[in-house]
Amino acid sequence: MNLPRKVVGSLDRERERVKNENHFYGPQFDAPANSISAHRAASAGWQPWSAIIIAGAWAVDYSEQTGTLVFPRNFAMRAVEIIGKKRDGEQLSPAEIEAFVTGATSHLWPDYQVSALLMAVLLRGMTAVETSLLTSAMVRSGQRLDLSDIPGPKVDKHSTGGVGDKTSLILAPLAAACGIVVPMMSGRGLGHTGGTLDKLEAIPGFQVALTLPEFRAALKKVGVAMIGQTAEVAPADKVLYALRDVTATVESIPLISASIMSKKLAEGIDALVLDVKCGRGAFMKKLEDARQLAESLVSIGKANGVRCEAMITAMDAPLGRAVGNSLEVIESIETLRGRGPADLQTLSVKLTARMLLLGHVARNEEDAAARVHEAIATGRGLDKFRQMVEQQGGDPRVVDDYSRLPAAPHRQLFRAARAGYVTRLDAELVGRATMILGAGRARVDDTIDPGVGAIVRAKVGESVRAGDSIIELHYRDGAHLDQVLEFLRRACAIADAPPSSVPLVLEIGSRVPW
């Protein structure tokens, strides 16, 4: 149970009032025998209020009649001791991890103490057990959905993010067309990586901010819904992620894992396919780091009763040809028609097939892939996409009329300086170039232009002549065009010989048997 907002507000004000005094905020009454009031805690030698946190969602009793808080015995502990313990490389207990999450979510821990523990975790790490406990505590900070009344296996997919990664828009309706229920909560783009919600909102009218009842209604009617994280789901993640973003603690694998999996576990899913990106345009640049993250994510899922499988896929160059929100929606629809770029089509089919396998609706890999190809060939996947768009308030006519999507008014070609083969097209630099155009955001509150972006006209491995178009820019304001073109010059390399072939799927591992 989270503290009522008015209690949190009053505690914040009281903390400011007493932060330099050696006493507690708390009730002045005789507490029940199994609890201890704050003023009695002071006499027992506990530290001032600002150093006290509460372990567990059950650890506080709030009385509306008296307006007081009661702290159960043996559940109060000093934040500084937990921080110090992790700083010294020790393993935190379940109660200490619960205390941290509850303190962060209810704001009983001030931001500087939450940030201190985040940095300690970054520097000292967490065991698999600690990471699983952290994830579970974050799930309990909010509501975990129960979708058992909706027939069918509930399976989701999560990607760690890349450039041109639009597979969610393709595989979600495809999986639903094959009998999987897909309750997908997605995120927005930040920096050079794109966000699923931003792509969906390029569709006029599409609503990603559904309430949980609306989410459930969409799943019952259509079999798929794609929304943003609601206030009820893993609120601890919102608090911790905001602090990680400004304290240089984003890179911690335990914290990344807990952030991803707390939201996914709260969806009430039976199984999860994880697409862990690796390469220049990915968060994980090295295969060993990607493998460590994949193993961490699968371990958490397994510990929480969710069937999981991780695929590590290449993200050195943009996936597909389109980068930018409207452009990626168009490419997703084309892929559902069976006309998408080969790499995007291949990966989308593979990921969807894994969802069918984990959802127990296919006998083996060949059967799963055949079902997915059949859903594309018959148009059932595209029909499911159209139904989803309409159910969530979007204009379903965009499926057949791309002119209804936002578009940028201007074009600029980035051309090959020489003849040869494209040997490099750095995904991160291409992503940063389109971000400057307005396709992405440098800060969370930046506004996105859904119509701008880029089309890759010559992919890695393809031959070009001098002057051929490599990238076609779609832009609205040319003020930063020179900077964008400089990024593209740095991103692109051309050589006399074609590059060595790199597989799209680097590894399929960390499987949980079913």
Side-chain angles (χ1 to χ4, degrees), residues 305-328:
V306 173
R307 298 187 296 275
C308 286
E309 180 180 89
M311 295 175 62
I312 300 176
T313 64
M315 183 40 70
D316 282 323
L319 180 62
R321 293 185 182 271
V323 181
N325 299 291
S326 278
L327 298 174
E328 293 189 47

Side-chain angles (χ1 to χ4, degrees), residues 193-211:
T193 62
T196 297
L197 298 184
D198 300 318
K199 304 181 208 305
L200 291 170
E201 287 184 332
I203 301 172
F206 196 100
Q207 298 297 314
V208 299
L210 300 187
T211 64

Side-chain angles (χ1 to χ4, degrees), residues 355-440:
M355 294 175 70
L356 269 56
L357 282 169
L358 288 182
H360 298 179
V361 301
R363 297 185 302 274
N364 50 45
E365 293 184 17
E366 292 74 20
D367 179 45
R371 290 171 185 257
V372 178
H373 283 297
E374 191 268 342
I376 294 173
T378 61
R380 290 190 297 110
L382 186 62
D383 287 343
K384 191 64 71 173
F385 180 85
R386 186 184 285 108
Q387 293 168 27
M388 178 186 72
V389 170
E390 186 171 14
Q391 177 69 25
Q392 295 190 224
D395 183 355
R397 294 173 296 180
V398 301
V399 173
D400 303 299
D401 183 2
Y402 299 150
S403 70
R404 294 182 174 276
L405 290 164
H410 305 298
R411 305 289 183 270
Q412 172 73 43
L413 297 180
F414 171 71
R415 299 181 182 275
R418 51 161 291 189
Y421 293 88
V422 179
T423 57
R424 187 184 74 243
L425 201 56
D426 189 299
E428 179 173 352
L429 294 177
V430 173
R432 289 171 66 183
T434 58
M435 182 183 73
I436 294 170
L437 293 177

Side-chain angles (χ1 to χ4, degrees), residues 410-416 455 457 467-475 481 485 488:
H410 305 298
R411 305 289 183 270
Q412 172 73 43
L413 297 180
F414 171 71
R415 299 181 182 275
I455 301 291
R457 295 300 183 190
D468 281 355
S469 173
I470 295 179
I471 292 179
E472 176 184 295
L473 296 174
H474 292 225
Y475 70 98
L481 201 55
L485 292 171
L488 297 183

